[in-house]
């Protein structure tokens, strides 16, 4: 899997993907959508203000992948806070989550859907050709960048990657390790993400 994004004249990016690569990205995006869950039912509310001020959850998700995708807004990365500070952080995080998580989920849902739609259109245009050229506008490139980041966060969470040392260890996994395919996908998506970032740099 050697495809890398290249910049397009006038903005945007392009990458050549084969059928296997298309299938992998699409499958991961669908799994991510299923994990994030559906949005509000269409037509569930005729009042746009009610939807705007709808409250979301106040507690972090139970699933570790969702906790990585929707982390607490407040915390102390420098160490363990005192009991009172910890309680204040939990309260602030709960309040922030209540009013932002629904929108964050909707945004991640939309970027994953954008990836799926682009790949479906690509497949229908290139049936039987083996490799297809995906061309993205500047806006679509930003959506893909967000989706690739979410996919890597999700896989990294499943692989329990906490820092760069963990990534180095994954390079040395034996081929028979059941995590190997997921590791290869994680590393490949990282290369795609880096090349897409480079195309968006001024």
């Amino acid at each position: 899997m050697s495809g890398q994004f290249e910049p397009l004249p006038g903005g945007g990016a392009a990458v050549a993907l084969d059928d296997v690569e298309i299938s992998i990205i699409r499958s991961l995006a669908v799994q991510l959508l299923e994990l994030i869950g559906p949005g509000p039912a269409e037509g569930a509310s005729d009042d746009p203000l009610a939807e705007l001020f709808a409250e979301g959850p106040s507690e972090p998700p139970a699933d570790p992948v969702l906790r990585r995708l929707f982390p607490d807004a407040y915390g102390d990365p420098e160490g363990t806070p005192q009991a009172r500070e910890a309680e204040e952080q939990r309260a602030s995080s709960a309040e922030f989550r209540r009013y932002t998580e629904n929108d964050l989920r909707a945004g991640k849902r939309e970027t994953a859907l954008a990836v799926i739609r682009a790949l479906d259109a690509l497949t229908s245009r290139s049936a039987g050709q083996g490799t297809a050229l995906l061309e993205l506008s500047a806006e679509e490139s930003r959506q893909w960048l967000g989706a690739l980041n979410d996919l890597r966060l999700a896989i990294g969470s499943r692989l329990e990657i906490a820092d760069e040392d963990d990534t180095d260890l994954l390079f040395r996994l034996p081929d028979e390790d059941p995590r190997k395919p997921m590791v290869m996908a994680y590393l490949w998506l990282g290369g795609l993400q880096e090349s897409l970032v480079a195309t968006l740099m001024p």
Side-chain angles (χ1 to χ4, degrees):
M1 299 180 187
S2 58
Q4 299 287 291
F5 279 98
E6 299 287 343
L8 287 175
V15 64
L17 297 171
D18 64 31
D19 292 341
V20 173
E21 293 167 336
I22 291 170
S23 176
I24 290 171
I25 297 173
R26 190 185 189 286
S27 175
L28 290 171
V30 168
Q31 291 176 55
L32 183 65
L33 269 180
E34 291 172 349
L35 189 61
I36 292 171
E42 194 171 326
S45 173
D46 295 327
D47 182 357
L49 282 178
E51 188 174 321
L52 180 65
F53 292 105
E55 292 187 11
S58 59
E59 294 297 320
D63 189 291
V65 171
L66 291 176
R67 281 202 304 275
R68 179 77 69 91
L69 291 172
F70 306 104
D72 277 336
Y74 301 96
D76 182 9
E78 300 301 320
T80 304
Q82 299 297 320
R84 182 175 175 181
E85 286 179 276
E87 185 56 39
E88 288 174 355
Q89 288 171 2
R90 278 193 293 272
S92 297
S93 291
E95 188 74 3
F96 187 83
R97 184 181 296 280
R98 185 177 297 121
Y99 293 107
T100 61
E101 187 168 313
N102 284 347
D103 286 343
L104 291 173
R105 282 182 183 254
K108 292 184 184 300
R109 197 179 296 116
E110 190 53 42
T111 56
L113 279 170
V115 167
I116 293 168
R117 290 180 186 128
L119 293 176
D120 286 349
L122 187 66
T123 303
S124 66
R125 289 198 311 266
S126 62
Q129 295 182 17
T131 300
L133 184 66
L134 174 70
E135 296 184 324
L136 303 173
S137 67
E139 176 57 31
E140 290 168 334
S141 296
R142 285 187 284 273
Q143 287 182 310
W144 269 70
L145 190 59
L148 289 172
N149 187 61
D150 289 342
L151 292 176
R152 290 194 79 236
L153 284 174
I155 296 172
S157 179
R158 290 288 187 243
L159 291 171
E160 299 181 343
I161 296 173
D163 54 38
E164 200 60 39
D165 290 340
D166 294 333
T167 305
D168 292 341
L169 289 173
L170 294 176
F171 276 108
R172 297 193 289 274
L173 284 179
D175 289 342
E176 61 272 15
D177 192 298
R179 295 171 294 172
K180 191 75 170 187
M182 199 182 298
V183 169
M184 297 305 294
Y186 177 82
L187 298 173
W188 172 59
L189 290 174
L192 275 181
Q193 184 181 11
E194 286 180 15
S195 67
L196 185 52
V197 168
T199 70
L200 296 174
M201 299 272 287

